[in-house]
Amino acid sequence: PGAARLAAATGLQRFRILWQMRRSLRDPVARPQWPAGRTLRTFVPGRDEDRWLSLNGRAFASHPEQGAWTRHDLELRERESWFDPAGFFIAERDGQMAGFHWTKVHPPEPGDRAGRDRAAPPEPGVGEVYVVGVDPAEQGSGLGRALTLAGLGHLRDLGLKTAMLYVDEDNTAAIRMYQGLGFTRA
């Protein structure tokens, strides 16, 4: 509220609201139900970049940031310490990329200890639903939900206790899906 008042007082206008949502990975994670004819695999660096960029551009054609990614943008992220192709899922239909879920693991904050006991091991990091995208022809098929569940299962299998994501407030279809998967606004 204070930031909104300051912005209004200086003549600025809000044009985008980004939510952070979280859910516990201690709660059950349902098994993905794949639409007929879809298969799942992981991203292969050095082979999948161009096809992924094409799909990402279609999936996020109207998104101000994600839809404009270039090969350079993708390669920068592939060089990040957090990049793990084992957590970058690709759904295919008839050999073509139909959707994806790219997960990310944030390391624990320095000093995070279980129960604040200094002798305890650090709490695990937080898993992120970094980006989920589906080909526009796949929207409404359940593929986005299945991909999200696959990624959540992966993050849980890594021993993480919390998953988070960012979503635009006006993306009501995604928010409904995430709420149905147990995410709440943080």
Side-chain angles (χ1 to χ4, degrees):
R5 284 191 301 275
L6 176 63
T10 59
L12 299 175
Q13 292 184 342
R14 181 185 300 184
F15 69 94
R16 184 175 182 206
I17 301 170
L18 195 62
W19 286 9
Q20 184 185 114
M21 300 182 81
R22 289 182 175 238
R23 71 154 280 172
S24 172
L25 291 173
R26 293 177 182 160
D27 297 334
V29 175
R31 293 182 56 105
Q33 299 296 313
W34 299 102
R38 296 355 172 259
T39 58
L40 186 69
R41 66 176 179 83
T42 56
F43 184 86
V44 179
R47 187 184 85 190
D48 285 334
E49 286 82 357
D50 291 335
R51 291 187 332 146
W52 182 83
L53 284 165
S54 176
L55 172 57
N56 184 67
R58 291 189 310 277
F60 292 98
S62 62
H63 193 279
E65 298 159 356
Q66 187 69 36
W69 275 36
T70 65
R71 178 78 180 234
H72 178 72
D73 296 318
L74 179 55
E75 288 171 350
L76 286 173
R77 282 148 184 95
E78 287 178 308
R79 290 193 295 268
E80 291 285 344
S81 61
W82 55 262
F83 177 74
D84 181 6
F88 191 163
F89 299 95
I90 304 292
E92 292 185 323
R93 180 180 186 179
D94 300 325
Q96 299 299 314
M97 286 188 188
F100 60 90
H101 179 184
W102 189 351
T103 66
K104 179 179 182 179
V105 176
H106 297 270
E109 292 294 320
D112 276 355
R113 300 276 176 195
R116 301 196 187 274
D117 175 358
R118 294 200 178 271
E123 287 290 322
V126 173
E128 182 177 346
V129 174
Y130 185 53
V131 62
V132 176
V134 297
D135 189 287
E138 296 283 338
Q139 289 180 350
S141 71
L143 184 59
R145 179 183 174 85
L147 281 160
T148 304
L149 287 168
L152 292 175
H154 169 75
L155 294 170
R156 184 176 189 191
D157 290 348
L158 292 175
L160 301 173
K161 296 179 182 172
T162 304
M164 55 88 68
L165 59 85
Y166 293 98
V167 62
D168 284 292
E169 181 184 59
D170 63 357
N171 190 346
T172 56
I175 289 171
R176 273 194 308 274
M177 181 190 73
Y178 294 137
Q179 288 172 331
L181 295 175
F183 283 88
T184 58
R185 188 172 170 190

